[in-house]
Amino acid sequence: MIALALLAISFAVPTFADDPIDMTPGDAVGLESVAPAVLPVTVPSSPIKDRPFSGPWGYGGLAASAVIAGVSLAGWRHRRRRSAEPLYVLVHGYGGSAGDFDDLLAAIGADSSDTVAFDYRSVVDAKSSTDASRIADTEAAARKLDALIRRLSVFSSNIYSLHHSKGGAVGVSMIASLDDGTRRPIDGYRGAALLDPAIASGWLGSLQRAGGFATFLPDNGDFDPIRCSRDGCRDVRVNLGEESGVEVIAVRNPDAVVTNFTDDPEGLRVYDLVDDGKSSALLAPFGMYGFQKRVREAHRSVLTNWAVADCIKAEVANSGGCVWKGNSKGRIQTWGGDNGRNLWR
């Protein structure tokens, strides 16, 4: 029996401890996600839609693998050679889920088998990644994300991560540790897109650290962009990814006001998206309710805009390939019927 179990493990889909995968659809910033049923073994599934595992060893091999090596990666087929095809790693925000990226992935044209979602349950015990994202510390999540991407780099030489809201803070923390030598660079990890990331400094950063108390604020998991050591303090957003060879872009919607950041760190490519011609949340009608509604709408716009999808496709095809049409700070107006498609050049 032991021999059969080991044989099953050798042919099962790749498994990695501490990296559970949650595919529950949900929304970020104050929008609830539906908690999934708790299964004794995590069954591989598509990042877009759940799909039963149909590998040659079926659920028996999967169960043996999960018992010994932990939870399996979702939607992964066994790969005997390291692939140069793009692999997207999804890092959702506070109270969100991997389903938040569905529209963006469809616009990018990403194959579901080349998409893997980070699960915050690798950081804290919870019923779902959605629940775990509300209590997970950003630094701890960054360490787990680092471990996940390193394991994926065995199979892919073209890894690109997508981060929304609090997920942006997780991404910045992880890449900053690669830059400063805390952890060694990851071969094959090529780029990252921070989508309306909760990585503010100053008073706004303080608000985001207490975001769990307000439904319209993205809690950033106690992230602080200022990191101090015996050699002094630095803003980790400055020249983010330069030392580690990770090409980073940040796309934000200023109309959301409180969900992203307002400054422009040196060496970080920041693109401002004005999504639909609506005004800033500060000018929204109907008092606080109108403000909250506009914040959520603008915050989510970075996940549903063709200009963002096209920019990411250009980055994946060629690092630094996205050149955002607009002024010197990368502002783009995407008003009109095409929702921003092909407006970057």
Side-chain angles (χ1 to χ4, degrees):
M1 290 299 294
I2 294 176
L4 287 175
L6 292 177
L7 187 61
I9 292 166
S10 68
F11 285 92
V13 291
T15 60
F16 306 107
D18 298 327
D19 296 319
I21 305 302
D22 175 34
M23 293 299 128
T24 308
D27 301 304
V29 185
L31 299 182
E32 297 296 324
S33 297
V34 179
V38 179
L39 301 177
V41 177
T42 299
V43 180
S45 60
S46 159
I48 308 300
K49 296 179 180 177
D50 286 340
R51 181 175 57 193
F53 176 57
S54 58
W57 293 93
Y59 290 103
L62 176 63
S65 177
V67 168
I68 295 175
V71 215
S72 68
L73 283 175
W76 264 82
R77 300 178 181 131
H78 183 60
R79 298 185 176 199
R80 297 183 181 275
R81 297 180 181 178
R82 196 163 184 244
S83 174
E85 292 298 313
L87 170 61
Y88 296 93
V89 177
L90 314 178
V91 189
H92 68 76
Y94 176 89
S97 78
D100 296 337
F101 295 92
D102 282 359
D103 290 340
L104 183 63
L105 292 172
I108 291 173
D111 190 302
S112 61
S113 65
D114 285 325
T115 310
V116 172
F118 174 72
D119 194 317
Y120 286 87
R121 286 177 293 181
S122 62
V123 186
V124 294
D125 185 30
K127 291 183 178 180
S128 68
S129 183
T130 297
D131 292 338
S133 69
R134 295 188 177 100
I135 54 179
D137 176 78
T138 289
E139 284 297 326
R143 291 191 292 271
K144 293 296 185 178
L145 178 61
D146 176 276
L148 172 62
I149 292 179
R150 287 185 192 281
R151 291 177 175 109
L152 292 173
S153 69
V154 174
F155 304 97
S156 176
S157 60
N158 189 7
I159 299 173
Y160 197 91
S161 56
L162 305 176
H163 309 254
H164 184 231
S165 195
K166 177 181 180 176
V170 175
V172 171
S173 293
M174 184 201 69
I175 297 169
S177 292
L178 302 179
D179 286 341
D180 65 19
T182 302
R183 292 189 286 272
R184 60 183 175 81
I186 304 173
D187 181 37
Y189 181 34
R190 297 182 57 242
L194 312 174
L195 306 175
D196 221 47
I199 58 172
S201 59
W203 67 269
L204 183 54
S206 297
L207 282 178
Q208 291 174 354
R209 283 190 288 277
F213 296 100
T215 59
F216 58 88
L217 272 174
D219 190 294
N220 65 12
D222 206 30
F223 170 80
D224 190 335
I226 308 303
R227 184 174 294 185
C228 296
S229 66
R230 289 180 296 179
D231 298 326
C233 297
R234 70 184 185 94
D235 185 338
V236 298
R237 302 170 303 175
V238 172
N239 298 318
L240 183 68
E242 184 175 295
E243 290 297 320
S244 55
V246 181
E247 188 70 34
V248 182
I249 63 171
V251 181
R252 63 190 178 190
N253 190 337
D255 288 348
V257 181
V258 293
T259 61
N260 44 67
F261 62 112
T262 57
D263 46 353
D264 293 295
E266 182 180 351
L268 177 63
R269 293 163 60 200
V270 180
Y271 300 141
D272 284 344
L273 176 71
V274 181
D275 176 59
D276 50 14
K278 295 184 179 180
S279 63
S280 166
L282 292 175
L283 303 176
F286 311 121
M288 181 56 71
Y289 174 76
F291 174 78
Q292 293 183 21
K293 181 180 179 181
R294 179 58 184 145
V295 166
R296 294 172 185 172
E297 181 182 61
H299 184 52
R300 189 166 176 77
S301 68
V302 294
L303 297 172
T304 59
N305 190 278
W306 276 101
V308 178
D310 284 351
C311 181
I312 291 172
K313 284 194 291 186
E315 286 292 312
V316 172
N318 180 29
S319 291
C322 174
V323 180
W324 202 277
K325 181 181 178 181
N327 65 20
S328 60
K329 290 188 177 182
R331 175 173 290 274
I332 181 171
Q333 302 281 349
T334 62
W335 305 354
D338 62 0
N339 194 24
R341 184 161 193 173
N342 297 324
L343 290 183
W344 66 267
R345 289 292 185 269

